[in-house]
Amino acid sequence: MELIAVPGIPEIDPGDDLADLVADRIDLDPGAQSDERDRPGSPPVGDVLCIASTVVSKAEDRLADLEAFPAGPRAREIADRLEGITGEERDPRFAQAVLEESTDLVMEAPFLLTETRFGHVCVNAGIDRSNTGGADLLLLPKRPSESAARLSEALSVPVIVTDTCGRPFRHGQRGVAIGWAGLPASRDWRGERDRDGRELGVTVENVVDELAGAANLVAGEGGGGTPAVVVRGFEFGAMAGSDEQFRSVETDFVRQALRGWSHE
Amino acid sequence: MELIAVPGIPEIDPGDDLADLVADRIDLDPGAQSDERDRPGSPPVGDVLCIASTVVSKAEDRLADLEAFPAGPRAREIADRLEGITGEERDPRFAQAVLEESTDLVMEAPFLLTETRFGHVCVNAGIDRSNTGGADLLLLPKRPSESAARLSEALSVPVIVTDTCGRPFRHGQRGVAIGWAGLPASRDWRGERDRDGRELGVTVENVVDELAGAANLVAGEGGGGTPAVVVRGFEFGAMAGSDEQFRSVETDFVRQALRGWSHE
């Protein structure tokens, strides 16, 4: 399996055709027919394109200014509290933008952790204030798996829309998949057996997150980085696939614990 | 960057020399001199060997039987509670083994989430009951970064000891690094700038976890899998490195929340 950074992708403006910009810079190998790709036992998948959510957002014009988010009382309350805890000035309009992008507040302090409208739990609903091309804010794509599906359709390869985020228990950030199309999110090893013939304890391997993290290793960040990485020669294998990616509160004990918790 | 599964690694027995077994099957490229490797601005790292903790544990004879862990009152209490919740029989000696491998109980029910003696938070202290070569249990390596350092010394390439585990918010498991040597755990992008010249918001990228996840994509599981994967051509780049991997309770709000939480 090989990872290839796609060179020379320019700054993206709203309306740019990302599929064209990628196709002009690299010959993609579609591998197996798309209708065979996510069937168990299907032939190896060809290339997988991993693309950073930042450029997908820009192409989809998810740029916004703070004045588009006049703060309501809830946002003002959240910003005041964060200001008190951190000692840094907080714009309540930013809190308002986060609330409008979210369906659930997982944690309010000492930072805003929310569930986005498409199910992804991350800090500040993934809203970026860096590399926003002049606007105040860059919001995540509205429906990243639909964005991935459009790109996948145009390029005839599976596509993963990536982001980077932190996590409990472990330091640092790593790449994750927030949207995907053309391959299942996970490999389900249930029923497979170990060398002793015992059923495997590890059952569901989230391959889209592993692919997004691998792509992040060669993508770089900032001015010298590239938003597009091709994974060549990834074999999904013969096990079943699953498209579950984001846990519901009911199956997530950490979210349940955070519900009852309050930062001092 | 390329990922190469090392073929033909046999079943591992206590005392086996993993470095020899790998070196006999693949020519490793040491790349830069090891004393230059983790210095910022150093030349590209050559190969990185990712090796599954299961085989490291077997080579280090971390196999154990349940009878080695006579259950104390705490273990019996934990096992009883889990039995009540899950309706499945629980061996209190297994809970005892988990307690003895751990320094902190992060969560007691509906499953045992602990911090191992070397700082890794995972279910059941990472104790495996599958593919244990006849023993009841396979414990994680005692000090995985020391195991990695021994292998790295013998093979002259950086080494990552990998495991797979689940996580909050997202379904499925992915590969993670529980030990590493010869490269820093993270790249620290602080001070780097985006295309607009603004300082980057994403600051610390955990590369050893991303490498472990990438390796897991080609390693497979169970009988058909391989425990050793070589990453060829990974460039750490010119940014600073950091060796922080496991969060302390003080910097981990999820752990703080879980402390006060109790499953019904």
Side-chain angles (χ1 to χ4, degrees):
Chain A
M1 190 178 98
E2 201 184 347
L3 286 111
I4 307 158
V6 181
I9 304 264
E11 268 298 317
I12 302 300
D13 291 311
D16 281 353
D17 189 323
L18 288 178
D20 273 1
L21 288 167
V22 171
D24 286 349
R25 284 164 180 80
I26 192 163
D27 285 327
L28 292 166
D29 170 13
Q33 292 303 305
S34 62
D35 61 343
E36 290 174 1
R37 232 184 245 128
D38 49 6
R39 256 195 259 143
S42 66
V45 172
D47 289 350
V48 177
L49 175 69
C50 295
I51 190 147
S53 58
T54 45
V55 294
V56 176
S57 288
K58 283 181 185 173
E60 294 177 358
D61 199 6
R62 296 280 286 158
L63 298 155
D65 283 324
L66 283 165
E67 65 182 23
F69 299 98
R74 190 83 181 84
R76 284 199 298 271
E77 185 191 319
I78 289 170
D80 279 351
R81 187 170 172 207
L82 288 175
E83 215 166 275
I85 292 170
T86 63
E88 289 163 22
E89 208 179 320
R90 297 298 175 122
D91 193 320
R93 296 172 302 175
F94 183 73
Q96 184 68 36
V98 173
L99 289 177
E100 292 190 17
E101 287 294 301
S102 304
T103 54
D104 190 31
L105 268 173
V106 179
M107 200 166 131
E108 272 182 54
F111 48 80
L112 258 175
L113 186 71
T114 74
E115 178 180 338
T116 67
R117 290 178 183 274
F118 58 90
H120 175 47
V121 172
C122 60
V123 174
N124 293 335
I127 299 175
D128 214 335
R129 303 177 85 167
S130 172
N131 198 9
T132 53
D136 294 332
L137 309 174
L138 182 63
L139 314 178
L140 287 180
K142 219 164 204 158
R143 284 178 280 274
S145 284
E146 289 180 19
S147 310
R150 282 191 295 272
L151 288 167
S152 177
E153 171 88 4
L155 293 166
S156 301
V157 298
V159 171
I160 296 172
V161 176
T162 69
D163 197 7
T164 54
C165 60
R167 59 268 163 90
F169 311 141
R170 308 175 76 77
H171 280 289
Q173 306 214 342
R174 86 304 192 201
V176 295
I178 62 169
W180 65 97
L183 83 174
S186 293
R187 297 197 264 230
D188 191 336
W189 297 85
R190 268 171 286 200
E192 306 279 318
R193 288 177 182 274
D194 67 17
R195 288 176 173 187
D196 301 339
R198 226 175 134 150
E199 275 207 32
L200 288 171
V202 173
T203 48
V204 177
E205 177 194 358
N206 190 309
V207 294
V208 289
D209 276 352
E210 289 181 334
L211 288 164
N216 204 37
L217 285 165
V218 301
E221 296 268 351
T226 174
V229 174
V230 172
V231 183
R232 182 152 289 170
F234 167 60
E235 298 183 32
F236 190 85
M239 61 295 299
S242 153
D243 258 338
E244 285 192 308
Q245 174 76 338
F246 306 117
R247 285 183 190 273
S248 65
V249 181
E250 292 68 36
T251 65
D252 191 335
F253 300 107
V254 165
R255 284 187 65 174
Q256 292 172 30
L258 285 168
R259 282 229 160 139
W261 181 75
S262 179
H263 184 269
E264 319 266 287
Chain B
M1 190 178 99
E2 201 184 348
L3 286 112
I4 307 157
V6 182
I9 305 264
E11 267 299 316
I12 301 300
D13 291 313
D16 281 353
D17 189 323
L18 288 178
D20 273 0
L21 288 167
V22 170
D24 286 349
R25 283 164 180 80
I26 192 163
D27 285 326
L28 292 167
D29 171 13
Q33 292 302 306
S34 61
D35 60 344
E36 291 175 359
R37 231 184 248 130
D38 49 6
R39 257 196 258 143
S42 67
V45 172
D47 290 351
V48 177
L49 174 70
C50 295
I51 190 145
S53 59
T54 44
V55 294
V56 175
S57 288
K58 283 181 185 173
E60 294 178 359
D61 198 7
R62 295 281 286 158
L63 298 154
D65 282 325
L66 282 165
E67 65 183 21
F69 299 98
R74 190 83 180 84
R76 284 198 299 272
E77 187 191 317
I78 289 170
D80 279 351
R81 187 168 172 207
L82 288 175
E83 214 166 276
I85 290 170
T86 64
E88 288 163 23
E89 208 179 322
R90 298 295 176 124
D91 193 321
R93 296 172 301 174
F94 182 73
Q96 184 68 37
V98 174
L99 289 177
E100 293 189 17
E101 287 293 301
S102 305
T103 54
D104 190 31
L105 267 173
V106 179
M107 200 167 131
E108 271 183 54
F111 49 82
L112 256 176
L113 186 72
T114 75
E115 177 180 341
T116 66
R117 290 177 182 273
F118 58 89
H120 176 47
V121 171
C122 61
V123 174
N124 291 336
I127 300 175
D128 214 334
R129 304 178 85 167
S130 172
N131 198 10
T132 52
D136 294 333
L137 309 174
L138 182 63
L139 314 179
L140 286 181
K142 219 165 204 157
R143 285 178 280 273
S145 284
E146 289 180 19
S147 310
R150 282 191 295 272
L151 288 166
S152 177
E153 171 89 3
L155 293 165
S156 301
V157 299
V159 171
I160 296 172
V161 176
T162 69
D163 197 9
T164 53
C165 59
R167 59 267 165 91
F169 311 141
R170 308 175 76 78
H171 279 288
Q173 307 215 341
R174 86 302 191 204
V176 294
I178 62 168
W180 66 98
L183 85 173
S186 292
R187 295 198 266 229
D188 191 335
W189 296 85
R190 270 171 286 199
E192 305 279 318
R193 290 178 180 274
D194 67 17
R195 288 178 173 184
D196 302 340
R198 225 176 136 152
E199 277 206 32
L200 288 171
V202 174
T203 49
V204 178
E205 177 193 357
N206 191 309
V207 295
V208 289
D209 276 353
E210 289 181 334
L211 287 164
N216 204 37
L217 286 164
V218 301
E221 298 268 352
T226 173
V229 173
V230 172
V231 182
R232 183 152 288 172
F234 167 60
E235 298 183 32
F236 189 85
M239 61 295 298
S242 153
D243 258 338
E244 286 192 308
Q245 176 75 339
F246 307 116
R247 286 183 189 273
S248 65
V249 182
E250 292 67 37
T251 65
D252 191 335
F253 301 107
V254 164
R255 283 186 67 174
Q256 292 172 30
L258 285 168
R259 282 228 158 139
W261 181 74
S262 178
H263 185 267
E264 318 266 288

